[in-house]
Amino acid sequence: MWIVLLVLVAPGLAQESPTSYTASLVRSLSERNSGIFDCWFYQLRDDPWIDELLQSRDLETIPKKLISSEMVVQVDRQPKMLLISGDFNPVSLKQLSKFIETTDFDETLKIIVLHRCPSRNDLEALSAIFTAAKLFNVLFIRVDQLQLDYPQHYRKSFVTTTDPTPPADLFPDQTLNLHGRLHHISITSATVDARIVAEEGASRGCLVEWIINTLEAVNGTFQFSQIFCEELTPPECTQQQRMIDGVTPVDFAVDVKTLTAVDKRFLSSTFPDEFLVLELWIMTVVVICFFRLLAWRFPRLFQNDLLLMAICGFERMKLWQVSKLEKFTCLALSIVTFMLFNAYEAKIITFMTSFPYAPSPRTFDDLFQAKIKIFVQNTETYGATNDPCFDQVIQFSPHAWDYIDFDNIGSIGFGGSSRQMQMLADHPLSYDYVKKRNALVLLDQFTLGTFIPFHFVGHRNPLKSRLHRTEQAFLEMGLMDFWTRTLIRQAYGPMYMILVSKGDDSEGSTLSLAELGPVCIVVTAGFCLAALVFVAELGVYWTRKCMNF
């Protein structure tokens, strides 16, 4: 049952012809759009309205494409606008339904339908074709009396007007208010990102919080379904994740996937899961090379050696006696040098207190030779699918993380997202009070590479763009990390206090000579390097002095 909202105002719209109003509307939408605005024209028969629109001067600069019901259409580039016109009899309605269903249009496509439907029932039958295809941005223009109708899908109503309306109001965001619409969400692996708890007030995974907060903000409801794939084949498990009980389609699958090809049924994450930061080393090398080259090319530009002055305070002339350029340059270099010294001082202290007892594996050969098996909870995540190299070291075990014997852990490992592995490494049960370190160590030099997480959202999900925006907003505000830290505190807080109370802090609290060996090597190498630089600078100084004599 559809409700009709009728808005009748002054006859300003009726004084304008259908084609001129449609052309100005398309023109206005194209000016508000970023990028290429492709406009497609679909006619079920020869229609004078389409011909007049194609010849309109308002649409001269807009890329246009004319298609008919006899054509097989391939979408190479998604259009932003689709205009449909014709005589909508039962035969043409079937042709239109087939065209809409089989053509790979995006859910954000805006559609204008020029019609002459004599009754409301005919208009609702025409609108049902687009509703079944999950295309909700539809505007119906009645050309014989120039009346505008646009459906409000979640309210199950029509808005009718004969007044000139802004284009933004003619294509409202249907997901602003879902009016309690139920969304089905599936979860297979209860990871730290996708954890659901039944206790009131308990924390949930950041992905679950992301979905729940997005739906609650637009008046939507949700129902989670746990999928158990232990006794299912991979195709059967995938089918259960996307179609609950084989009948109910899933609106969102929390489980992360990696794709090798574009699939519009999946939502790509805003940010990759893993990053490699190299800016600090690059900046250090560039600064050293730049100032060495500057001193060689312009030997009289600076009175002091900028690098030696910033590093060890060696100066030829007092800083207050030099030029302003040299003062500001020395000040900036001193700040950068101070920051680097503090960073690497902390790095050295970390190596002293957390001595690396064994080299970390860096390649698959290292893992294979050490007979280390890596367990993952999902075979379709992080590239661990249909690859013989992965099969040598990576094994699928959905419950391997739940029953870890940290006393007899042996040569095994676990693979997953950065948040999952960080939580597993920080688990209180993995802490060894004798060796004063964790039994599990993050391999920061061994990674499966940067990947883009994907989530299944189904065909033409109207919430796809909204979910993409809210994920970016939550990440930029730090809410995703906040939800993860809150979950870790609630999960590990009492357990951590109990284990610490049982631990013996008296053993292993001192550093041995073996642990201080790398520090001695680093300090000796630094002294040698400093001595070489000092001798070189001293030689340059005396050479210049002799040349002046």
Side-chain angles (χ1 to χ4, degrees):
M1 180 66 67
W2 286 78
I3 302 174
V4 179
L5 303 178
L6 183 62
V7 181
L8 296 176
V9 198
L13 192 61
Q15 298 176 358
E16 192 171 3
S17 66
T19 54
S20 61
Y21 176 77
T22 304
S24 61
L25 176 61
V26 174
R27 181 70 182 181
S28 178
L29 291 173
S30 67
E31 292 174 351
R32 289 171 170 80
N33 179 79
S34 59
I36 300 176
F37 189 90
D38 287 339
C39 183
W40 287 16
F41 295 82
Y42 179 78
Q43 59 179 3
L44 296 167
R45 62 177 180 82
D46 293 337
D47 196 319
W49 304 109
I50 293 292
D51 296 337
E52 190 172 346
L53 284 172
L54 290 173
Q55 299 174 6
S56 174
R57 298 187 62 180
D58 290 334
L59 306 181
E60 286 181 348
T61 59
I62 296 178
K64 298 177 285 293
K65 182 177 182 179
L66 178 62
I67 52 180
S68 63
S69 57
E70 292 80 12
M71 297 175 59
V72 178
V73 181
Q74 296 291 336
V75 181
D76 298 327
R77 187 173 63 195
Q78 283 291 336
K80 299 299 179 62
M81 174 65 68
L82 174 64
L83 279 88
I84 302 175
S85 180
D87 183 14
F88 298 106
N89 52 50
V91 176
S92 60
L93 287 178
K94 290 183 179 179
Q95 293 176 346
L96 176 62
S97 177
K98 182 180 179 181
F99 167 72
I100 293 296
E101 284 290 344
T102 57
T103 308
D104 189 20
F105 288 127
D106 193 75
E107 67 275 356
T108 59
L109 175 67
K110 293 180 174 61
I111 302 175
I112 296 178
V113 181
L114 306 177
H115 71 96
R116 303 175 187 82
C117 295
S119 66
R120 177 64 58 178
N121 291 334
D122 295 335
L123 182 61
E124 291 179 358
L126 180 59
S127 177
I129 296 177
F130 302 99
T131 302
K134 295 185 178 180
L135 295 172
F136 302 142
N137 297 322
V138 185
L139 173 65
F140 298 94
I141 300 179
R142 188 169 179 174
V143 294
D144 54 355
Q145 61 184 39
L146 200 51
Q147 174 181 295
L148 306 181
D149 302 89
Y150 58 89
Q152 294 181 328
H153 171 68
Y154 294 104
R155 294 185 59 182
K156 295 185 177 180
S157 64
F158 266 95
V159 175
T160 301
T161 180
T162 58
D163 185 57
T165 307
D169 296 337
L170 294 175
F171 294 96
D173 186 356
Q174 301 279 353
T175 63
L176 285 176
N177 192 344
L178 301 179
H179 293 276
R181 196 258 189 188
L182 180 63
H183 293 76
H184 295 277
I185 305 171
S186 68
I187 291 181
T188 304
S189 302
T191 61
V192 62
D193 296 338
R195 181 166 296 183
I196 303 177
V197 290
E199 297 82 2
E200 185 177 357
S203 298
R204 297 166 294 209
C206 61
L207 296 180
V208 176
E209 291 282 0
W210 162 40
I211 300 303
I212 290 178
N213 282 274
T214 301
L215 291 176
E216 289 180 344
V218 291
N219 195 19
T221 58
F222 50 87
Q223 179 179 347
F224 286 92
S225 299
Q226 182 73 45
I227 308 300
F228 300 96
C229 296
E230 288 79 2
E231 299 180 357
L232 300 177
T233 62
E236 292 174 345
C237 180
T238 302
Q239 179 66 20
Q240 286 287 332
Q241 291 173 347
R242 303 176 185 179
M243 189 74 68
I244 301 174
D245 300 328
V247 178
T248 306
V250 171
D251 297 291
F252 189 90
V254 181
D255 296 87
V256 175
K257 309 291 183 184
T258 54
L259 302 179
T260 57
V262 177
D263 193 336
K264 294 182 179 179
R265 299 174 302 168
F266 287 83
L267 170 67
S268 62
S269 178
T270 308
F271 295 94
D273 184 76
E274 186 70 26
F275 285 102
L276 297 177
V277 181
L278 298 176
E279 284 80 3
L280 183 60
W281 284 103
I282 296 175
M283 183 193 69
T284 305
V285 174
V286 169
V287 168
I288 294 175
C289 294
F290 174 75
F291 283 104
R292 286 288 87 189
L293 182 62
L294 196 64
W296 172 77
R297 184 64 180 84
F298 303 101
R300 300 186 181 277
L301 182 60
F302 298 109
Q303 302 299 324
N304 296 292
D305 191 300
L306 298 180
L307 294 177
L308 286 178
M309 186 173 184
I311 295 174
C312 58
F314 178 78
E315 58 180 12
R316 299 191 185 99
M317 183 178 293
K318 298 297 182 182
L319 193 58
W320 60 271
Q321 295 178 338
V322 299
S323 62
K324 292 183 179 180
L325 174 62
E326 187 169 348
K327 290 179 182 178
F328 284 111
T329 306
C330 290
L331 178 61
L333 274 178
S334 299
I335 294 175
V336 173
T337 306
F338 175 77
M339 295 175 63
L340 290 176
F341 278 172
N342 280 273
Y344 288 110
E345 181 180 358
K347 188 79 171 179
I348 293 173
I349 295 175
T350 302
F351 277 118
M352 291 172 62
T353 57
S354 301
F355 185 76
Y357 289 88
S360 298
R362 300 192 180 195
T363 64
F364 277 101
D365 291 336
D366 296 340
L367 294 174
F368 183 75
Q369 293 175 4
K371 298 181 180 180
I372 297 177
K373 297 296 182 182
I374 304 297
F375 293 98
V376 296
Q377 286 188 331
N378 194 340
T379 57
E380 297 183 5
T381 309
Y382 319 118
T385 305
N386 300 326
D387 194 325
C389 295
F390 279 94
D391 294 338
Q392 293 181 11
V393 294
I394 294 181
Q395 295 182 359
F396 170 64
S397 180
H399 300 293
W401 302 357
D402 301 332
Y403 309 102
I404 303 176
D405 185 5
F406 288 99
D407 295 329
N408 303 297
I409 194 170
S411 298
I412 64 173
F414 305 93
S417 67
S418 57
R419 283 190 291 264
Q420 289 174 291
M421 295 300 98
Q422 187 65 50
M423 185 175 183
L424 189 61
D426 292 340
H427 201 293
L429 289 176
S430 68
Y431 190 75
D432 190 336
Y433 290 95
V434 177
K435 298 180 180 178
K436 292 297 178 182
R437 62 185 179 91
N438 288 333
L440 296 175
V441 180
L442 288 174
L443 304 182
D444 55 353
Q445 296 181 351
F446 179 86
T447 177
L448 297 180
T450 302
F451 65 93
I452 303 294
F454 286 86
H455 302 277
F456 179 80
V457 294
H459 181 58
R460 290 176 184 164
N461 191 331
L463 286 172
K464 185 177 179 180
S465 59
R466 179 173 293 277
L467 288 169
H468 195 273
R469 294 195 302 268
T470 56
E471 184 200 23
Q472 183 176 3
F474 291 159
L475 280 167
E476 291 176 349
M477 290 186 293
L479 288 177
M480 304 293 271
D481 292 334
F482 169 76
W483 289 326
T484 301
R485 291 195 302 269
T486 303
L487 178 62
I488 292 174
R489 283 197 297 267
Q490 289 192 359
Y492 292 167
M495 184 187 304
Y496 182 77
M497 295 303 297
I498 294 172
L499 291 174
V500 169
S501 64
K502 295 180 180 180
D504 184 7
D505 294 337
S506 61
E507 298 181 3
S509 59
T510 59
L511 294 172
S512 65
L513 292 177
E515 293 171 334
L516 292 175
V519 179
C520 296
I521 295 175
V522 171
V523 173
T524 304
F527 276 124
C528 293
L529 181 60
L532 289 176
V533 173
F534 177 76
V535 171
E537 289 294 331
L538 191 61
V540 172
Y541 172 76
W542 283 108
T543 301
R544 291 178 178 176
K545 191 172 182 179
C546 293
M547 291 177 63
N548 291 334
F549 280 110

